[in-house]
Structure formats: structure tokens, C-alpha cells
């Protein structure tokens, strides 16, 4: 078996930040409030005690503190708590990329999928959000209703990797 660990992490404060209208105004307000711009599609930004991870054109996952974000959005978007519905799973070790290729439709082995990169994909018919932490680790955000089965799928698949 390949060097690989599959670890369910403790619950975290997770919110979805969505922009519905006036994206340029929201982006400008964000930059004025926090300094750097919101991360572009497929990437993330660690900002003090929060991480913003962009998975879709107008959607970011916020892990951690949300202070000031609702004010930045105003009536142009929403900030929605989803922490109770998501399980975070760390895939670590040399085999995490190969594991994500099992039952997946995303090229997790691409050299461009590096630390700080994010992706929304489907693995074994489950919508999964990925965040590369380092060369040796990736976080997977899995819907709570599928987490047990997804972890089991990965555990079984890991046994066949060489």
C-alpha cells in the first residue's frame, strides 16, 4: 500500500460566501476592508484567522472567522453557515493524489494542482471540494450525508494502491 493517511478532522467553522450582484463593487469593498483581493477561481487565500477558498465563479468557502464579510457583501450576496453539513477529511502522504484519481473525474496528479489550489469535483458520485495544503496533503470537504461512505471508499481504494 502507498504511503497514505485518511483522517477525519474535527468540525470547523465553515461558511459559504456568494456574490449575487455587483461583483466589482464587492471585490473593491473586500480589498478596502482586508487588503488583498478575494482569491481567483481555483485558489485560496489565508487571511489572519480565516481561509477563503474559491471553488466556483461567484462562490467561496470561508473556513474560520467571518467578521466583516457580511458588511463587505451588503445586499450583493450572502454568507451562509454550512459547518454542520460538511466533513473535512485530510488525505496525506505520498499517495493522496493517486487516491483522488480512484473514482474521480479530476486530474489530481497535475503539477499545476499545487499548494493553495482548490477544485470542485465528483468522486464516486459525490460532490467533493478539494484544497491542496502541501505536496503531501490535501483537504477534502465532503457532504456529511456521504462522509462515512466516502471515507470507506477511500480506505478500500487505498489498499489497492501500489
Amino acid at each position: 500500500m502507498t504511503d497514505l493517511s485518511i483522517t477525519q478532522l474535527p468540525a470547523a467553522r465553515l461558511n459559504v460566501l456568494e456574490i449575487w450582484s455587483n461583483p466589482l463593487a464587492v471585490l473593491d469593498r473586500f480589498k478596502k476592508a482586508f487588503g488583498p483581493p478575494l482569491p481567483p477561481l481555483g485558489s485560496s487565500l489565508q487571511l489572519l484567522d480565516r481561509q477563503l477558498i474559491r471553488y466556483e465563479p461567484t462562490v467561496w468557502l470561508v473556513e474560520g472567522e467571518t467578521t466583516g464579510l457580511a458588511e463587505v457583501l451588503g445586499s450583493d450576496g450572502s454568507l451562509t453557515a454550512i459547518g454542520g453539513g460538511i466533513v473535512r477529511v485530510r488525505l496525506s502522504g505520498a499517495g493522496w493524489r493517486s487516491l483522488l484519481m480512484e473514482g474521480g473525474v479530476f486530474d489530481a496528479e497535475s503539477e499545476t494542482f499545487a499548494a493553495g489550489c482548490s477544485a470542485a469535483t465528483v468522486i464516486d458520485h459525490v460532490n467533493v471540494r478539494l484544497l491542496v495544503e502541501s505536496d503531501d496533503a490535501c483537504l477534502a470537504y465532503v457532504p456529511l450525508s456521504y462522509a462515512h461512505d466516502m471515507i470507506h471508499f477511500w480506505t478500500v481504494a487505498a489498499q489497492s494502491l501500489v
Side-chain angles (χ1 to χ4, degrees):
M1 181 163 87
T2 301
D3 171 29
L4 182 62
S5 294
I6 302 164
T7 309
Q8 182 173 333
L9 300 176
R13 185 174 185 181
L14 297 173
N15 286 267
V16 171
L17 182 150
E18 294 182 81
I19 298 175
W20 303 325
S21 60
N22 300 315
L24 295 178
V26 173
L27 296 174
D28 185 54
R29 291 191 300 260
F30 182 88
K31 192 169 181 180
K32 285 179 182 172
F34 297 105
L38 278 165
L41 188 60
S43 64
S44 65
L45 169 68
Q46 183 67 47
L47 184 63
L48 303 173
D49 48 2
R50 72 191 85 199
Q51 185 160 29
L52 295 111
I53 310 160
R54 190 169 181 184
Y55 291 108
E56 298 174 35
T58 60
V59 179
W60 290 258
L61 177 66
V62 180
E63 184 169 331
E65 185 57 50
T66 58
T67 302
L69 293 175
E71 292 78 12
V72 164
L73 288 167
S75 61
D76 295 318
S78 70
L79 190 63
T80 307
I82 62 164
I86 302 294
V87 172
R88 298 176 314 136
V89 180
R90 177 171 287 122
L91 308 174
S92 58
W96 71 265
R97 290 178 185 275
S98 297
L99 182 64
L100 288 176
M101 298 300 292
E102 296 291 319
V105 296
F106 175 75
D107 185 4
E109 295 177 323
S110 171
E111 292 179 12
T112 61
F113 192 51
C117 290
S118 63
T121 190
V122 175
I123 300 174
D124 196 38
H125 308 288
V126 176
N127 291 324
V128 177
R129 305 297 185 252
L130 303 171
L131 173 66
V132 180
E133 292 183 301
S134 69
D135 289 342
D136 294 321
C138 182
L139 274 181
Y141 297 87
V142 181
L144 175 63
S145 58
Y146 293 104
H148 175 78
D149 292 334
M150 192 78 246
I151 291 169
H152 175 73
F153 171 79
W154 279 329
T155 301
V156 170
Q159 296 171 5
S160 67
L161 298 176
V162 272

